[in-house]
Amino acid sequence: WFQQDNDPTHRCAEGQIVLYNQASGHACHFLPGWPPHSPDLNLIENLWAAVQALMDGRGCTTFAQFKRQLLYALSHVPPEWLEAAFNGMAQRLKDTIRLKGGKTKH
């Protein structure tokens, strides 16, 4: 099952999943009825934000350059940052419950 938050970039993946299922014989699906703009508690989103900050302004013009820079950025996310993001999960969950799924500062 794939979870998506109705972001337009995620919605366009549905056709690709159908093609993947046909080609592979698998049965991957989106979670039905997932509410739009639901809180994203997946820590990978925070990691991608940190990596994006490191990637901004790199001026990659080829995929090979982009790949090198991406691997560099991923390897330079401080372990302390990852640990802090993980350790903050309990508070993120509490805030999400307290705000009844509303936007948090996280």
Side-chain angles (χ1 to χ4, degrees):
W1 289 92
F2 290 99
Q3 175 186 338
Q4 64 101 355
D5 58 7
N6 293 325
D7 181 293
T9 59
H10 297 170
R11 282 184 284 176
C12 70
E14 193 163 13
Q16 293 299 312
I17 290 173
V18 170
L19 293 174
Y20 170 78
N21 286 342
Q22 290 171 347
S24 68
H26 290 104
C28 294
H29 305 281
F30 280 115
L31 284 171
W34 197 260
H37 310 294
S38 57
D40 197 338
L41 299 173
N42 189 339
L43 294 178
I44 197 71
E45 298 295 341
N46 300 86
L47 174 62
W48 284 128
V51 168
Q52 180 68 52
L54 292 170
M55 293 286 294
D56 283 347
R58 296 282 180 180
C60 301
T61 57
T62 68
F63 182 73
Q65 289 173 340
F66 173 78
K67 184 177 175 182
R68 266 194 314 276
Q69 291 296 323
L70 178 62
L71 292 173
Y72 175 85
L74 284 168
S75 69
H76 284 81
V77 174
E80 300 82 15
W81 183 92
L82 295 170
E83 187 175 337
F86 179 79
N87 289 338
M89 182 53 86
Q91 187 61 51
R92 291 174 68 157
L93 291 170
K94 288 177 188 175
D95 290 345
T96 299
I97 292 167
R98 180 177 50 80
L99 296 170
K100 298 180 180 166
K103 186 165 178 61
T104 69
K105 65 178 181 170
H106 306 286

